[in-house]
Amino acid sequence: MIEAKDINFYYGDFHALKDINIKMDINTVTAFIGPSGCGKSTFLRLFNRMNDLIDKTRITGECIVQGENIYDKSIQVDQLRKKVGMVFQKPNPFPKSIFENVAYGLRVNDMGDKKIIAERVEESLIAAALWDEVKDKLKKSAFELSGGQQQRLCIARALAVSPSILLMDEPASSLDPISTSKIEELIHNLKKDYTIVIVTHNMQQAARISDMTGFFMMGELVEFSETKKMFLNPEKKETQNYITGRFG
Amino acid sequence: MKRIKRILERTIESILTVSGAVTSIAILLIVIFLFKEGLGLFKSPSVEKGYSLYVNSKNTVNDLDVEDIKHIYDSEVENWKELGGRDQEIKIFRFEEIFNIYSDEELGKDYSLLPEKLGEVIIQNPNIIAYLPQQYAPTDIQGVKALPSKDISIGDFFGGREWMPTATPSPLFGVLPLILGTLIVSIIAILIALPLGLGVAIYLSELAGERTRKLMKPTIELLAGIPSVVYGFFGLVVLVPIVQKVFGLSVGETAFTGSLILAIMALPTIITVAEDALRNTPRDMREASLALGATQWQTIYKVVIPYSASGISAAVVLGIGRAMGETMAVLMVTGNAAVMPHSLFEPVRTIPATIAAELGEAPAGGAHYQSLFLLGCILFVITMIVSITAEVISKKQLNKGV
């Protein structure tokens, strides 16, 4: 279970997230939607402490992942990030071979010898529905893949270290419709093994793939409920306006 | 209006094309000029133009190497036996001495009898060697033989261990000590500057806070702009005495001092270029690595450094280029002795320092002058090899994607 309690987040003086409270169950897909700059990506990046990399940021409140406050001083950030994988908006494979891209996480975390790594790479590529397309060219540079394949490679890379939670920051926003549908299918299949939190600016996508949906606006979590309910019968006026396309 | 704009654009376009072409051609011409002047050296005689060496025809020695000639005139070789001749002491005869033996009247009007008299002297002394201007040479006289004049060979130049371009009768153009001097000074400089420079670059780009970086980067860039003669001054006044004291040497002007000053000079370039390259690694890459549970150090050496390999190698090339080509500061602190270096703590002389120090005294078109141009060619080739190597390495790194 993932929980956020009274989260406030600041970029310098800018109050980016305001009093966020949320609970997400395991093995569900939670989608965050909202207009640009509403704080949904910022919120997502709290769960693997990616925002730590940005200067002059400040957080109050508690972020609980598997019973631990991940902003506690005793938390080792690299261990946390092993548990909470992330897929980014733009496909960002390393300038390495396909194999080495997937093996990277295993290597930096000392997870097994050559044989185990090879097995794990294959499993991850299969899980990311990429194996059949790349099994004959694992030694080739990752940059030779198409954008959609690169993104699935990045998903495989994240899966390789066996996280329990997968954060996805608009994973399909830079892809064509066919690649997008492949990713969506993949997310659907991954749900049984992983807890997935996804940020998207595409409302149809949120409706298609998620169990729960949160609507962010101006740094506030306006509404959080079951996806079906959110899109058919939203409680708040703002949500209604946004999903019917009246603004945003 | 539209037409004027189009004409303007066309003009700018052609100006850019022309200036590009002119620059490329100019650079090419400079290189051609360099090699043309330099390679002329191998067509120059090994003794000064217009002079020849003469011996008695009974002398069994028919041929002398440049080094042999030098040894004779330095009195290091004093017997023909050592050169494969008879057991006779070598008698060196200088042209001026003829005027002590014969009076002006005896030499005839306009010295017309000079060749004949010179011939007599040579015939009378079977152990003589005479260095004479060809104009007055006793060429057709029986009993006198001229030693064949040889061109300076490639082997003498590249294999020679002595650089004495102004020695008479035959100057020595052995570049080995200069090449070694350059390589030693540069390699040690790079060995000092590279780890330090990359260390500082990594610190600045990855570890230092925003404020530290904002303060240090411009300061370092400022250091790159200090004229080299100022560095030389600093080296002479500060480093030379320190090196002398620390290593207990009789002179502080050594190869090592030169390396130190070069390292200091190359540092700002290496730091600035490498830091830029490191910072150019997309944030995506760092985040991807960190998000997989890599630590900051793992991210730096597994992702950031390989990603910026080509930029870092540019830093290395610029650093080495600076070290190899640097003239003034090195000239001031290395002691300028064109001898084979045996240790780091001896005076040496580098190629650029040699060119700077000697070109002013070398008569244009002469062998000395040509040899300095050839030194320039050697420097050019060395730097080219360095940059091609760096290019190849960085490409390999990127493809392999360590």
Side-chain angles (χ1 to χ4, degrees), chain A residues 45 50 92-93 96 104 108, chain B residues 284-285 287 289 298 302 402:
Chain A
R45 290 162 60 94
M50 255 331 171
N92 56 352
K96 298 174 191 285
Y104 183 84
V108 296
Chain B
D284 281 9
M285 292 291 147
E287 289 193 342
S289 168
Q298 286 173 325
K302 288 197 151 195
V402 182

Side-chain angles (χ1 to χ4, degrees), chain B residues 271-332:
Chain B
I271 294 171
T272 333
V273 178
E275 202 257 1
D276 285 341
L278 290 168
R279 279 176 70 78
N280 271 336
T281 308
R283 223 175 84 180
D284 281 9
M285 292 291 147
R286 292 167 209 273
E287 289 193 342
S289 168
L290 292 169
L292 288 166
T295 61
Q296 191 176 15
W297 275 113
Q298 286 173 325
T299 304
I300 291 172
Y301 74 75
K302 288 197 151 195
V303 174
V304 178
I305 292 178
Y307 194 90
S308 36
S310 68
I312 291 176
S313 67
V316 174
V317 171
L318 286 174
I320 295 180
R322 174 123 208 210
M324 294 264 182
E326 174 49 44
T327 312
M328 212 51 227
V330 178
L331 186 75
M332 290 165 84

